[in-house]
Structures are given as structure tokens and as C-alpha cells.
Coordinates of all heavy atoms in Angstrom, one line a residue:
M8 N 80.5 80.4 42.0 CA 81.3 79.2 42.3 C 81.1 78.7 43.8 O 81.0 77.6 44.1 CB 82.8 79.5 42.1 CG 83.1 79.6 40.6 SD 84.8 80.1 40.4 CE 85.6 78.5 40.3
F9 N 80.9 79.7 44.7 CA 80.7 79.4 46.1 C 79.3 78.7 46.2 O 79.2 77.6 46.8 CB 80.7 80.6 46.9 CG 80.1 80.4 48.3 CD1 80.8 79.6 49.3 CD2 78.9 80.8 48.6 CE1 80.3 79.3 50.5 CE2 78.4 80.5 49.9 CZ 79.0 79.8 50.8
E10 N 78.3 79.2 45.6 CA 77.0 78.6 45.7 C 77.0 77.2 45.1 O 76.4 76.3 45.7 CB 76.0 79.5 44.9 CG 74.5 79.0 45.1 CD 73.5 79.8 44.3 OE1 73.9 80.9 43.8 OE2 72.4 79.3 44.2
R11 N 77.6 77.0 44.0 CA 77.6 75.6 43.4 C 78.4 74.6 44.3 O 77.9 73.5 44.5 CB 78.4 75.6 42.0 CG 77.5 76.1 40.9 CD 78.2 75.9 39.6 NE 78.7 74.5 39.4 CZ 79.6 74.1 38.5 NH1 80.1 75.0 37.6 NH2 79.9 72.8 38.4
A12 N 79.5 75.1 44.9 CA 80.3 74.2 45.8 C 79.4 73.9 47.1 O 79.4 72.8 47.5 CB 81.6 74.9 46.2
L13 N 78.8 74.9 47.6 CA 77.9 74.8 48.8 C 76.7 73.7 48.5 O 76.5 72.8 49.3 CB 77.3 76.1 49.2 CG 76.5 76.1 50.5 CD1 77.3 75.6 51.7 CD2 75.9 77.5 50.8
M14 N 76.1 73.9 47.4 CA 75.0 73.0 47.0 C 75.5 71.6 46.7 O 74.8 70.6 47.2 CB 74.3 73.5 45.7 CG 73.5 74.8 46.0 SD 72.3 74.5 47.4 CE 72.6 76.0 48.3
A15 N 76.7 71.4 46.1 CA 77.2 70.2 45.8 C 77.5 69.5 47.2 O 77.3 68.3 47.4 CB 78.5 70.2 45.0
A16 N 78.1 70.2 48.1 CA 78.4 69.7 49.5 C 77.2 69.2 50.2 O 77.1 68.2 50.8 CB 79.2 70.7 50.3
L17 N 76.1 70.1 50.1 CA 74.8 69.7 50.8 C 74.2 68.4 50.2 O 73.7 67.6 50.9 CB 73.8 70.9 50.7 CG 74.2 72.1 51.5 CD1 73.2 73.2 51.3 CD2 74.3 71.8 53.0
D18 N 74.4 68.3 48.9 CA 73.8 67.1 48.2 C 74.6 65.8 48.7 O 74.0 64.7 48.5 CB 74.0 67.3 46.7 CG 73.0 68.1 46.0 OD1 72.0 68.4 46.7 OD2 73.2 68.5 44.9
H19 N 75.8 66.0 49.2 CA 76.6 64.9 49.6 C 76.9 64.9 51.1 O 77.8 64.3 51.5 CB 77.9 64.9 48.9 CG 77.8 64.7 47.3 ND1 77.6 65.8 46.5 CD2 77.8 63.6 46.6 CE1 77.5 65.3 45.3 NE2 77.6 64.0 45.2
I20 N 76.0 65.5 51.8 CA 76.3 65.8 53.2 C 76.4 64.5 54.1 O 77.1 64.5 55.1 CB 75.3 66.8 53.9 CG1 75.8 67.5 55.1 CG2 73.9 66.1 54.2 CD1 76.9 68.5 54.9
E21 N 75.9 63.4 53.5 CA 76.0 62.1 54.2 C 77.0 61.1 53.5 O 77.0 60.0 53.8 CB 74.7 61.4 54.4 CG 73.9 62.3 55.5 CD 72.5 61.7 55.7 OE1 72.0 60.8 55.0 OE2 71.8 62.2 56.7
D22 N 77.7 61.7 52.5 CA 78.6 60.9 51.6 C 80.0 61.2 52.1 O 80.6 62.1 51.6 CB 78.3 61.2 50.2 CG 79.2 60.4 49.2 OD1 80.1 59.7 49.7 OD2 78.9 60.4 48.0
D23 N 80.4 60.3 53.0 CA 81.7 60.6 53.7 C 82.9 60.6 52.6 O 83.8 61.5 52.8 CB 81.9 59.4 54.7 CG 82.7 60.0 55.9 OD1 82.2 60.9 56.4 OD2 83.7 59.4 56.2
A24 N 82.9 59.7 51.7 CA 84.0 59.7 50.8 C 84.1 60.9 49.9 O 85.1 61.5 49.7 CB 83.9 58.4 49.9
W25 N 82.9 61.3 49.4 CA 82.8 62.6 48.6 C 83.3 63.8 49.4 O 84.1 64.6 49.0 CB 81.4 62.7 48.1 CG 81.2 63.8 47.1 CD1 81.2 63.6 45.7 CD2 81.2 65.2 47.3 NE1 81.1 64.9 45.1 CE2 81.1 65.9 46.0 CE3 81.2 66.1 48.4 CZ2 81.0 67.2 45.9 CZ3 81.1 67.5 48.3 CH2 81.0 68.0 47.0
L26 N 82.8 63.9 50.7 CA 83.1 65.1 51.5 C 84.6 65.1 51.7 O 85.2 66.2 51.6 CB 82.4 65.0 52.8 CG 80.9 65.2 52.8 CD1 80.3 65.0 54.2 CD2 80.5 66.6 52.3
S27 N 85.2 64.0 52.0 CA 86.6 63.9 52.4 C 87.4 64.3 51.1 O 88.3 65.2 51.3 CB 87.1 62.5 52.7 OG 86.4 62.1 53.9
E28 N 87.1 63.7 50.0 CA 87.9 64.0 48.8 C 87.8 65.4 48.4 O 88.8 66.2 48.2 CB 87.6 63.0 47.8 CG 88.6 63.1 46.6 CD 88.0 62.6 45.3 OE1 87.1 61.7 45.3 OE2 88.4 63.2 44.3
K29 N 86.6 65.8 48.1 CA 86.3 67.1 47.4 C 86.6 68.3 48.3 O 87.2 69.3 47.9 CB 84.9 67.2 46.8 CG 84.5 66.1 45.9 CD 85.0 66.3 44.5 CE 84.5 65.2 43.7 NZ 84.7 65.5 42.2
L30 N 86.2 68.2 49.5 CA 86.3 69.4 50.4 C 87.7 69.5 50.9 O 88.2 70.6 51.1 CB 85.2 69.3 51.5 CG 83.8 69.4 51.1 CD1 82.9 69.5 52.3 CD2 83.5 70.6 50.2
A31 N 88.5 68.4 51.1 CA 89.8 68.6 51.5 C 90.6 69.3 50.4 O 91.4 70.1 50.6 CB 90.4 67.2 51.8
R32 N 90.3 68.9 49.2 CA 91.0 69.7 48.1 C 90.6 71.1 48.0 O 91.5 72.0 47.8 CB 90.6 69.0 46.7 CG 91.3 69.4 45.6 CD 90.8 68.8 44.3 NE 90.8 67.3 44.3 CZ 89.9 66.6 43.6 NH1 89.1 67.2 42.7 NH2 89.9 65.3 43.7
L33 N 89.3 71.4 48.2 CA 88.9 72.8 48.2 C 89.6 73.5 49.4 O 90.0 74.7 49.3 CB 87.4 72.9 48.4 CG 86.7 74.3 48.2 CD1 87.0 74.9 46.9 CD2 85.2 74.1 48.4
G34 N 89.7 72.9 50.6 CA 90.3 73.5 51.7 C 91.8 73.7 51.5 O 92.3 74.8 51.9
A35 N 92.5 72.8 50.8 CA 93.9 73.1 50.4 C 94.0 74.3 49.6 O 94.9 75.1 49.8 CB 94.4 71.8 49.7
Q36 N 93.1 74.5 48.6 CA 93.1 75.7 47.8 C 92.9 76.9 48.6 O 93.6 77.9 48.4 CB 92.0 75.6 46.7 CG 92.4 74.6 45.6 CD 91.2 74.3 44.6 OE1 90.4 73.6 45.0 NE2 91.3 75.0 43.5
H37 N 92.0 76.8 49.6 CA 91.7 78.0 50.4 C 92.9 78.3 51.3 O 93.2 79.5 51.5 CB 90.4 77.8 51.2 CG 89.2 78.1 50.5 ND1 88.8 77.3 49.4 CD2 88.3 79.1 50.5 CE1 87.7 77.8 48.9 NE2 87.4 78.9 49.5
A38 N 93.6 77.3 51.8 CA 94.8 77.6 52.6 C 95.8 78.3 51.7 O 96.5 79.3 52.1 CB 95.4 76.3 53.1
A39 N 95.9 77.9 50.5 CA 96.8 78.6 49.5 C 96.4 80.0 49.2 O 97.2 80.9 49.0 CB 96.9 77.8 48.2
Y40 N 95.0 80.3 49.3 CA 94.6 81.7 49.2 C 94.9 82.5 50.4 O 94.7 83.7 50.4 CB 93.1 81.7 49.0 CG 92.5 81.0 47.8 CD1 91.2 80.4 47.8 CD2 93.2 80.9 46.6 CE1 90.7 79.8 46.7 CE2 92.6 80.3 45.5 CZ 91.4 79.7 45.6 OH 90.9 79.1 44.5
G41 N 95.3 81.9 51.5 CA 95.6 82.6 52.7 C 94.4 82.6 53.7 O 94.4 83.3 54.7
V42 N 93.4 81.7 53.5 CA 92.3 81.6 54.5 C 92.8 80.9 55.7 O 93.4 79.9 55.7 CB 91.1 80.8 53.8 CG1 90.0 80.7 54.8 CG2 90.6 81.6 52.6
T43 N 92.5 81.6 56.9 CA 93.0 81.1 58.1 C 91.7 80.5 59.0 O 90.6 80.7 58.6 CB 93.6 82.2 59.0 OG1 92.6 83.2 59.2 CG2 94.8 82.7 58.3
P44 N 92.0 79.7 60.0 CA 90.9 79.0 60.7 C 89.8 80.0 61.2 O 88.6 79.7 61.1 CB 91.6 78.2 61.8 CG 93.0 78.0 61.3 CD 93.3 79.2 60.4
E45 N 90.2 81.1 61.8 CA 89.2 82.0 62.3 C 88.3 82.6 61.2 O 87.2 82.9 61.4 CB 89.8 83.1 63.2 CG 90.7 84.1 62.5 CD 92.1 83.7 62.5 OE1 92.5 82.5 62.6 OE2 93.0 84.7 62.4
M46 N 88.9 82.6 60.0 CA 88.0 83.2 58.9 C 86.9 82.2 58.6 O 85.8 82.7 58.2 CB 88.9 83.4 57.6 CG 89.9 84.5 57.7 SD 90.8 84.6 56.1 CE 92.1 85.7 56.6
Y47 N 87.1 80.9 58.8 CA 85.9 80.0 58.6 C 84.8 80.3 59.6 O 83.6 80.2 59.3 CB 86.4 78.5 58.8 CG 87.0 78.0 57.6 CD1 88.5 78.0 57.5 CD2 86.4 77.4 56.6 CE1 89.1 77.5 56.4 CE2 87.0 77.0 55.4 CZ 88.3 76.9 55.3 OH 89.0 76.5 54.2
E48 N 85.2 80.7 60.8 CA 84.2 81.1 61.8 C 83.4 82.3 61.4 O 82.1 82.3 61.4 CB 84.8 81.4 63.2 CG 85.6 80.3 63.8 CD 84.7 79.1 64.2 OE1 83.6 79.4 64.8 OE2 85.1 78.0 64.0
W49 N 84.1 83.4 61.0 CA 83.5 84.6 60.5 C 82.6 84.3 59.3 O 81.5 84.8 59.2 CB 84.5 85.7 60.1 CG 85.6 86.0 61.2 CD1 85.4 85.9 62.5 CD2 86.9 86.4 61.0 NE1 86.5 86.2 63.2 CE2 87.4 86.5 62.3 CE3 87.6 86.7 59.9 CZ2 88.8 87.0 62.5 CZ3 88.9 87.1 60.1 CH2 89.5 87.3 61.4
F50 N 83.1 83.5 58.4 CA 82.4 83.3 57.1 C 81.0 82.5 57.5 O 80.0 82.8 56.9 CB 83.2 82.4 56.2 CG 82.8 82.3 54.8 CD1 83.1 83.2 53.8 CD2 82.0 81.2 54.5 CE1 82.7 83.0 52.5 CE2 81.5 81.1 53.2 CZ 81.9 82.0 52.2
G51 N 81.1 81.5 58.5 CA 79.9 80.8 58.8 C 78.9 81.7 59.4 O 77.7 81.6 59.1
E52 N 79.3 82.6 60.3 CA 78.4 83.5 60.9 C 77.7 84.4 59.9 O 76.5 84.7 59.9 CB 79.1 84.4 62.0 CG 79.4 83.6 63.3 CD 80.4 84.3 64.1 OE1 80.6 85.6 64.0 OE2 81.1 83.7 65.0
A53 N 78.5 84.9 58.9 CA 78.0 85.7 57.9 C 77.0 85.0 57.0 O 76.0 85.6 56.6 CB 79.1 86.3 57.1
L54 N 77.4 83.8 56.7 CA 76.5 82.9 55.8 C 75.1 82.7 56.5 O 74.1 83.0 55.9 CB 77.2 81.6 55.5 CG 76.3 80.6 54.7 CD1 76.1 81.2 53.3 CD2 77.0 79.3 54.6
V55 N 75.1 82.3 57.7 CA 73.8 82.1 58.4 C 73.1 83.4 58.6 O 71.8 83.4 58.4 CB 74.1 81.5 59.8 CG1 72.8 81.4 60.6 CG2 74.6 80.0 59.6
A56 N 73.8 84.5 58.9 CA 73.1 85.8 59.0 C 72.5 86.2 57.6 O 71.3 86.7 57.6 CB 74.0 86.9 59.5
A57 N 73.2 86.0 56.5 CA 72.6 86.3 55.2 C 71.4 85.4 54.9 O 70.4 85.9 54.3 CB 73.7 86.1 54.2
L58 N 71.5 84.1 55.2 CA 70.4 83.2 54.9 C 69.2 83.7 55.7 O 68.1 83.7 55.2 CB 70.8 81.8 55.2 CG 71.8 81.2 54.2 CD1 72.3 79.8 54.8 CD2 71.2 80.9 52.9
S59 N 69.4 84.0 57.0 CA 68.3 84.5 57.8 C 67.7 85.7 57.3 O 66.4 85.9 57.2 CB 68.9 84.6 59.2 OG 68.4 85.8 59.8
E60 N 68.5 86.6 56.8 CA 68.0 87.9 56.3 C 67.1 87.7 55.0 O 66.0 88.2 54.9 CB 69.2 88.8 56.0 CG 68.8 90.3 55.8 CD 70.0 91.1 55.6 OE1 71.0 91.0 56.3 OE2 70.0 91.9 54.6
V61 N 67.6 86.9 54.1 CA 66.8 86.7 52.9 C 65.6 85.8 53.1 O 64.6 85.9 52.4 CB 67.7 86.1 51.7 CG1 68.8 87.1 51.3 CG2 68.3 84.8 52.0
S62 N 65.6 84.9 54.1 CA 64.5 84.1 54.4 C 63.5 84.8 55.1 O 62.3 84.4 55.2 CB 64.9 82.8 55.2 OG 65.9 82.2 54.4
A63 N 63.8 85.9 55.8 CA 62.9 86.8 56.5 C 61.9 86.0 57.4 O 62.4 85.3 58.2 CB 62.1 87.7 55.5
A64 N 60.6 86.1 57.2 CA 59.6 85.5 58.1 C 59.6 84.0 58.0 O 59.1 83.3 59.0 CB 58.3 86.0 57.8
D65 N 60.2 83.4 56.9 CA 60.2 81.9 56.8 C 61.3 81.3 57.7 O 61.3 80.0 57.8 CB 60.5 81.5 55.4 CG 59.3 82.0 54.5 OD1 58.2 82.0 55.0 OD2 59.6 82.3 53.3
W66 N 62.2 82.1 58.2 CA 63.3 81.6 58.9 C 63.0 81.1 60.3 O 62.3 81.9 61.0 CB 64.4 82.7 59.0 CG 65.7 82.3 59.6 CD1 66.2 82.7 60.8 CD2 66.8 81.5 59.0 NE1 67.4 82.1 61.1 CE2 67.9 81.4 59.9 CE3 67.0 80.9 57.8 CZ2 69.0 80.8 59.7 CZ3 68.1 80.3 57.5 CH2 69.2 80.2 58.4
T67 N 63.4 80.0 60.7 CA 63.1 79.5 62.1 C 64.4 79.0 62.8 O 65.5 78.9 62.1 CB 62.2 78.3 62.0 OG1 62.9 77.1 61.4 CG2 60.9 78.5 61.2
E68 N 64.3 78.7 64.0 CA 65.5 78.2 64.8 C 65.9 76.9 64.2 O 67.1 76.6 64.2 CB 65.1 78.0 66.3 CG 65.3 79.3 67.1 CD 66.6 80.0 66.9 OE1 67.7 79.4 67.2 OE2 66.6 81.2 66.5
A69 N 65.0 76.1 63.7 CA 65.3 74.8 63.0 C 66.3 75.0 61.8 O 67.2 74.3 61.6 CB 64.1 74.0 62.6
H70 N 65.9 76.1 61.0 CA 66.8 76.5 59.9 C 68.2 76.9 60.4 O 69.2 76.4 59.9 CB 66.2 77.6 59.1 CG 65.0 77.3 58.4 ND1 63.7 77.7 58.7 CD2 64.8 76.4 57.3 CE1 62.8 77.2 57.9 NE2 63.5 76.4 57.0
R71 N 68.2 77.7 61.5 CA 69.5 78.1 62.0 C 70.3 76.9 62.4 O 71.5 76.8 62.1 CB 69.3 79.1 63.2 CG 70.6 79.6 63.8 CD 70.4 80.6 65.0 NE 69.6 81.7 64.5 CZ 70.0 82.7 63.8 NH1 71.3 82.8 63.5 NH2 69.2 83.7 63.4
D72 N 69.7 76.0 63.1 CA 70.4 74.8 63.6 C 70.9 73.9 62.5 O 72.1 73.5 62.5 CB 69.5 73.9 64.5 CG 69.2 74.6 65.8 OD1 69.9 75.5 66.2 OD2 68.4 74.0 66.6
A73 N 70.1 73.7 61.5 CA 70.5 72.9 60.4 C 71.6 73.5 59.6 O 72.6 72.7 59.2 CB 69.2 72.6 59.5
W74 N 71.5 74.8 59.3 CA 72.6 75.4 58.5 C 73.9 75.5 59.3 O 75.0 75.3 58.7 CB 72.2 76.8 58.1 CG 71.3 76.8 56.8 CD1 70.0 76.9 56.7 CD2 71.9 76.6 55.5 NE1 69.6 76.8 55.3 CE2 70.7 76.6 54.6 CE3 73.2 76.4 54.9 CZ2 70.9 76.4 53.2 CZ3 73.3 76.3 53.5 CH2 72.1 76.4 52.7
T75 N 73.8 75.8 60.6 CA 75.0 75.8 61.4 C 75.7 74.5 61.5 O 76.9 74.4 61.3 CB 74.6 76.3 62.9 OG1 74.0 77.5 62.8 CG2 75.8 76.4 63.7
R76 N 74.9 73.4 61.6 CA 75.5 72.1 61.6 C 76.1 71.7 60.3 O 77.2 71.2 60.2 CB 74.5 71.0 62.0 CG 74.3 71.0 63.6 CD 73.4 69.8 64.0 NE 72.0 70.1 63.7 CZ 71.2 69.3 62.8 NH1 71.8 68.2 62.3 NH2 70.0 69.6 62.6
A77 N 75.4 72.0 59.2 CA 75.9 71.7 57.8 C 77.2 72.5 57.6 O 78.2 71.9 57.1 CB 74.9 72.0 56.8
Y78 N 77.2 73.8 57.9 CA 78.4 74.5 57.7 C 79.6 74.1 58.5 O 80.7 74.0 58.0 CB 78.2 76.0 58.1 CG 79.4 76.9 57.8 CD1 79.8 77.3 56.5 CD2 80.3 77.2 58.8 CE1 80.9 78.0 56.3 CE2 81.5 77.9 58.6 CZ 81.8 78.3 57.3 OH 83.0 78.9 57.1
R79 N 79.4 73.6 59.8 CA 80.4 73.0 60.6 C 81.0 71.8 59.9 O 82.3 71.6 59.9 CB 79.9 72.7 62.0 CG 79.9 73.9 62.9 CD 79.7 73.5 64.3 NE 79.3 74.7 65.1 CZ 78.3 74.8 65.9 NH1 77.5 73.7 66.1 NH2 78.0 75.9 66.5
V80 N 80.2 71.0 59.4 CA 80.7 69.7 58.7 C 81.6 70.1 57.5 O 82.7 69.6 57.4 CB 79.5 68.8 58.2 CG1 80.0 67.7 57.4 CG2 78.8 68.3 59.4
I81 N 81.1 71.0 56.7 CA 81.8 71.5 55.5 C 83.1 72.1 55.8 O 84.1 71.8 55.3 CB 80.9 72.4 54.6 CG1 79.7 71.6 54.1 CG2 81.7 73.0 53.5 CD1 78.6 72.5 53.5
A82 N 83.0 73.1 56.8 CA 84.3 73.8 57.2 C 85.3 72.8 57.8 O 86.5 72.9 57.4 CB 84.0 74.9 58.2
A83 N 84.9 71.9 58.6 CA 85.8 70.9 59.2 C 86.4 70.0 58.1 O 87.7 69.8 58.1 CB 85.1 70.0 60.2
R84 N 85.7 69.7 57.1 CA 86.2 68.9 55.9 C 87.2 69.7 55.2 O 88.2 69.2 54.7 CB 85.1 68.3 55.0 CG 84.2 67.4 55.7 CD 84.9 66.2 56.4 NE 83.9 65.3 56.9 CZ 83.9 64.0 56.6 NH1 84.7 63.5 55.7 NH2 82.9 63.3 57.1
M85 N 86.9 71.0 55.0 CA 87.8 71.8 54.2 C 89.1 72.0 55.0 O 90.2 71.9 54.5 CB 87.2 73.2 53.9 CG 86.1 73.0 52.8 SD 85.2 74.7 52.5 CE 86.6 75.7 51.8
R86 N 89.0 72.2 56.3 CA 90.1 72.4 57.1 C 91.0 71.2 57.2 O 92.2 71.4 57.4 CB 89.7 73.0 58.5 CG 89.1 74.4 58.4 CD 89.3 75.2 59.6 NE 90.7 75.0 60.1 CZ 91.0 74.9 61.4 NH1 90.1 75.0 62.3 NH2 92.3 74.8 61.7
A87 N 90.4 70.1 57.0 CA 91.2 68.8 57.1 C 92.2 68.8 55.9 O 93.2 68.1 55.9 CB 90.3 67.6 57.0
G88 N 91.9 69.6 54.8 CA 92.8 69.7 53.7 C 93.9 70.7 53.8 O 94.6 70.8 52.8
E89 N 93.9 71.5 54.8 CA 94.8 72.6 54.9 C 96.2 72.3 54.7 O 97.0 73.0 54.1 CB 94.6 73.3 56.3 CG 93.5 74.4 56.3 CD 93.2 74.8 57.7 OE1 93.9 74.6 58.6 OE2 92.2 75.5 57.8
R90 N 96.6 71.1 55.1 CA 98.1 70.8 54.9 C 98.3 70.0 53.7 O 99.5 69.6 53.4 CB 98.6 70.1 56.2 CG 99.0 71.0 57.3 CD 99.4 70.4 58.6 NE 98.3 69.6 59.1 CZ 97.3 70.2 59.9 NH1 97.3 71.4 60.2 NH2 96.3 69.5 60.4
A91 N 97.3 69.6 52.9 CA 97.5 68.8 51.7 C 97.9 69.9 50.6 O 97.5 71.0 50.6 CB 96.2 68.2 51.3
P92 N 98.6 69.3 49.6 CA 98.9 70.2 48.5 C 97.7 70.6 47.6 O 96.8 69.8 47.5 CB 99.8 69.3 47.6 CG 99.6 67.9 48.0 CD 99.0 67.9 49.4
A93 N 97.6 71.9 47.3 CA 96.5 72.4 46.5 C 96.5 71.9 45.1 O 97.5 71.7 44.4 CB 96.5 73.9 46.5
R94 N 95.3 71.5 44.6 CA 95.1 71.2 43.1 C 94.1 72.1 42.6 O 93.4 72.8 43.3 CB 94.7 69.7 43.0 CG 95.9 68.8 43.4 CD 95.6 67.4 43.2 NE 96.1 66.5 44.2 CZ 95.3 65.7 45.0 NH1 94.0 65.6 44.8 NH2 95.8 65.0 46.0
V95 N 93.9 72.0 41.3 CA 93.0 73.0 40.7 C 91.7 72.4 40.1 O 90.9 73.0 39.4 CB 93.7 73.8 39.6 CG1 94.6 74.8 40.2 CG2 94.4 72.9 38.6
A96 N 91.3 71.1 40.4 CA 90.0 70.6 39.9 C 88.9 71.2 40.6 O 88.9 71.5 41.8 CB 90.0 69.1 40.1
P97 N 87.8 71.5 39.8 CA 86.6 72.1 40.5 C 85.9 71.2 41.4 O 86.0 69.9 41.3 CB 85.7 72.4 39.3 CG 86.1 71.5 38.2 CD 87.6 71.2 38.4
V98 N 85.2 71.7 42.4 CA 84.5 70.9 43.4 C 83.2 70.2 42.9 O 82.9 69.1 43.3 CB 84.3 71.6 44.7 CG1 83.2 72.6 44.6 CG2 84.0 70.7 45.9
A99 N 82.5 70.9 42.1 CA 81.2 70.5 41.7 C 81.2 69.6 40.5 O 82.1 69.6 39.7 CB 80.3 71.6 41.5
Ligands
HEM104 C1 81.6 76.7 53.1 C2 82.9 77.2 52.9 C3 83.4 77.7 51.6 C4 83.1 77.2 50.3 C5 82.2 76.1 49.9 C6 84.0 78.0 49.4 C7 84.0 77.8 48.0 C8 84.8 78.5 47.1 C9 84.9 78.2 45.7 C10 84.2 77.1 45.0 C11 85.8 79.1 45.2 C12 86.2 79.2 43.8 C13 87.7 78.9 43.6 C14 88.1 77.4 44.1 O1 87.5 76.4 43.7 O2 89.0 77.4 44.9 C15 86.3 79.9 46.3 C16 87.3 80.9 46.2 C17 87.7 81.7 47.3 N1 87.3 81.6 48.6 FE1 86.0 80.2 49.3 N2 84.7 78.9 50.1 C18 84.4 78.7 51.4 C19 84.9 79.5 52.5 C20 85.7 80.5 52.4 C21 86.2 81.3 53.5 C22 85.9 81.0 55.0 C23 87.0 82.3 53.0 C24 87.8 83.4 53.7 C25 87.1 84.4 54.3 C26 87.0 82.1 51.5 C27 87.8 82.8 50.6 C28 88.0 82.6 49.3 C29 88.9 83.3 48.4 C30 89.8 84.4 48.8 C31 88.7 82.7 47.1 C32 89.5 83.1 45.9 C33 88.7 84.1 45.1 C34 89.5 84.5 43.8 O3 90.0 83.7 43.1 O4 89.5 85.7 43.6 N3 86.2 81.0 51.2 N4 85.7 79.5 47.4

């Protein structure tokens, strides 16, 4: 489910309306799970580290920059939904 949501967000990374609506809803659900702001930081570091590990020799600083920027956009949109009421519709 995480991978599908991440890929859907990347497919819409320049679609402001989609990001606001879907990721705010997902963020509201995460707030309800008990996810706190610092957890988004830890999760982002772990995600980039995991991608770098599986990409091995193919991994470059450009990949690190692009993934870090994309994750920041996604996490910020999710966090914007923290105070909204949680709903149960899927993100993808
Ligand atoms: C890019 C950021 C993230 C994305 C795209 C994402 C996506 C998802 C998705 C699609 C689900 C399935 C249920 C649902 O739709 O709510 C889920 C569940 C969950 N996520 Fe995330 N997530 C992200 C970040 C995080 C972070 C930072 C944490 C905390 C460390 C977290 C903790 C959880 C937990 C606890 C669940 C519930 C698992 C369960 O039902 O057993 N997520 N996430």
C-alpha cells in the first residue's frame, strides 16, 4: 500500500489539486495512527537510505537530491492534513 501511494504521488508530483486532496487525506489518517512530525523525518531518511542501498552502483547524488525533494513535497502535503478529519478512501 505504501509503494502504491508513493508511486501515485510521484505520478502527480506537479498536480497541485491532486496532491492537496489525496495527500491531506492520507496525512489525516496517519495523524489518527499516531504518526508525529519527527517520524516523517525519520521515515524520509530511511526511505532514501533504502533506495540508495537497493540501487547500489546506479545511485548518484542526483538521485538523492530528487528523492529528497519529492519526499519533502509529499510529507509536507500529508502533514497539511494532520488537523483534518480522517477518512478511509484509498489514495491510489
Ligand atoms: C511518504 C510518506 C508515506 C506514505 C505515502 C504512506 C502511505 C501509507 C499507506 C498507503 C498506508 C495504508 C493505510 C492508509 O491508506 O492509511 C499507510 C499506513 C500506515 N503508515 Fe504510512 N505512509 C507514509 C509515511 C508514514 C510515516 C512517516 C509513518 C510513521 C513512521 C507511517 C506509519 C504508518 C502506519 C502506522 C500505518 C498503519 C499500518 C496498519 O494499518 O497496520 N507512514 N501508510
Side-chain angles (χ1 to χ4, degrees):
M8 288 174 88
F9 166 73
E10 186 185 346
R11 277 189 55 193
L13 181 63
M14 290 305 134
L17 292 175
D18 283 344
H19 295 89
I20 202 74
E21 291 180 347
D22 182 345
D23 216 52
W25 190 97
L26 292 175
S27 299
E28 190 205 326
K29 304 282 186 167
L30 295 185
R32 190 185 304 154
L33 186 61
Q36 285 170 281
H37 279 69
Y40 298 148
V42 175
T43 58
E45 67 268 28
M46 290 181 193
Y47 280 97
E48 299 293 320
W49 303 333
F50 193 90
E52 285 166 23
L54 176 66
V55 170
L58 289 168
S59 133
E60 197 177 311
V61 295
S62 304
D65 295 330
W66 185 255
T67 66
E68 278 308 301
H70 290 110
R71 179 178 305 280
D72 287 352
W74 276 102
T75 301
R76 278 187 289 117
Y78 180 80
R79 279 194 193 128
V80 170
I81 293 167
R84 297 304 183 121
M85 286 176 68
R86 293 211 40 218
E89 274 168 9
R90 277 175 296 279
R94 289 186 223 124
V95 285
V98 72

